[in-house]
């Protein structure tokens, strides 16, 4: 898996096989593409993505158990790992 970060129009951290899949996931679950996603998306390394994801938390602001963080992160399923809190 690769990890992608988008900051605008809304923040998201996405794991996907490639950039095209990450953009598809972003437009499906986060926000529409206003034509700038190809400029806004950047691939980040695994350690950066894991550190960001581990600091996330739940919608209620509660901490997520380490075992659950690792299980979700290591899963081979493409997914939105983090999303802008304004969208929750």
């Amino acid at each position: 898996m690769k990890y992608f970060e988008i900051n605008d129009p809304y923040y998201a951290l996405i794991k996907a096989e490639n950039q095209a899949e990450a953009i598809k996931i972003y437009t499906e679950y986060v926000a529409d593409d206003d034509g700038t996603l190809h400029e806004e998306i950047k691939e980040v390394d695994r350690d950066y993505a894991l550190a960001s994801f581990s600091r996330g938390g739940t919608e209620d602001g509660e901490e997520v158990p380490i075992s659950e963080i690792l299980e979700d992160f290591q899963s081979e399923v493409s997914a939105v790992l983090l999303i802008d809190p304004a969208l929750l």
Side-chain angles (χ1 to χ4, degrees), residues 1-32:
M1 280 289 151
K2 295 180 180 180
Y3 302 91
F4 299 90
E5 190 173 57
I6 301 168
N7 288 299
D8 192 49
Y10 295 102
Y11 177 81
L13 177 65
I14 298 171
K15 69 175 178 174
E17 291 292 326
N18 54 53
Q19 182 175 329
E21 183 181 8
I23 288 173
K24 180 181 175 190
I25 291 168
Y26 184 89
T27 57
E28 186 174 338
Y29 295 102
V30 182
D32 292 333

Side-chain angles (χ1 to χ4, degrees), residues 31-51:
D32 292 333
D33 181 1
D34 62 359
T36 63
L37 280 182
H38 286 290
E39 299 166 11
E40 291 294 326
I41 192 168
K42 67 177 183 174
E43 186 173 347
V44 296
D45 67 40
R46 182 185 185 283
D47 292 340
Y48 174 89
L50 180 56

